[in-house]
Amino acid sequence: MSATAANLAEALRGLAALHAAAAPFLAHWPAGDAGAAAPSPEAVPGLPVLAFLPALERSGIPAADAVLDLARALARRLVWRQTYAEPQVDRRFLDRYGWTELVGRRGLLTSESLAAGLLMLGPDTAYPPHRHAAEEIYIPVSGRARWLKGASWSVRAPGTLIHHPPHVVHATRTRAEPLLALYLWRGEDLATPARLC
């Protein structure tokens, strides 16, 4: 793994470590260079959502800004993916959605028990309600968004932690600004993707 990608992975870890609730996830963080996973056939080096990179703003939170700076510098060299395809979701959503994994089965650091990476959504984008077996944490890096958990929506700012227990329905909606968020997944079923509700 290159030093710059290693720096981004460590920046993700550093941002998550600011929250005690992330400790059970970080306990699964692979030690050292655990080996690089080969990109899968569905991996795409660049997605349309990356056009919104210049609109991402610094939050003033040093750990979040470190992630943002490294993500911007490396974005075009990272492997970006999408969980869904047409006709599950429309083309507009796909043009405004993508994620990259730095730790996990498809990550630069391999792990069978943890996945960590970045989610990016363009402005005015609704990530539809979905659920999955993995327990999940999000920490917004840049951008305010509305987050649904169960039946309740709330606006969350950069640096805050959003926790989704296994199988709980959740969704995200951006407004005028794009969103970049750290995600952490843990559990026995990391290979099973989210299911739309």
Side-chain angles (χ1 to χ4, degrees):
M1 184 170 66
S2 72
T4 53
N7 289 341
L8 179 55
E10 279 307 306
L12 295 180
R13 185 178 183 181
L15 177 57
L18 297 178
H19 299 275
F25 291 78
L26 296 179
H28 296 274
W29 198 274
D33 185 1
S40 57
E42 79 277 8
V44 179
L47 290 173
V49 71
L50 297 183
F52 298 105
L53 279 169
L56 293 170
E57 295 184 1
R58 294 170 64 88
S59 66
I61 301 166
D65 289 344
V67 170
L68 176 58
D69 292 345
L70 287 164
R72 276 188 174 141
L74 294 170
R76 303 264 176 209
R77 289 184 276 153
L78 297 173
V79 177
W80 292 86
R81 296 177 170 86
Q82 295 180 323
T83 306
Y84 315 105
E86 292 179 293
Q88 288 176 296
V89 293
D90 64 27
R91 173 51 46 192
R92 184 178 186 280
F93 174 74
L94 292 174
D95 287 345
R96 293 168 176 255
Y97 155 77
W99 53 271
T100 185
E101 187 169 288
L102 288 146
V103 177
R105 293 179 176 198
R106 296 163 293 221
L108 300 170
L109 286 174
T110 55
S111 174
E112 294 296 318
S113 57
L114 176 73
L118 293 167
L119 166 74
M120 189 162 175
L121 293 177
D124 191 28
T125 302
Y127 191 145
H130 60 284
R131 71 174 94 203
H132 41 72
E135 181 182 10
E136 176 181 60
I137 284 176
Y138 275 113
I139 301 172
V141 172
S142 176
R144 288 181 172 274
R146 295 178 66 220
W147 298 80
L148 172 71
K149 180 175 170 182
S152 175
W153 285 93
S154 61
V155 176
R156 305 303 291 269
T160 60
L161 185 138
I162 300 122
H163 176 248
H164 299 132
H167 305 290
V168 168
V169 175
H170 54 282
T172 310
R173 180 181 293 274
T174 60
R175 293 183 179 171
E177 56 189 336
L179 171 73
L180 182 70
L182 157 65
Y183 72 82
L184 294 167
W185 274 32
R186 74 172 181 144
E188 297 177 9
D189 199 6
L190 296 181
T192 302
R195 285 187 8 223
L196 295 176
C197 300

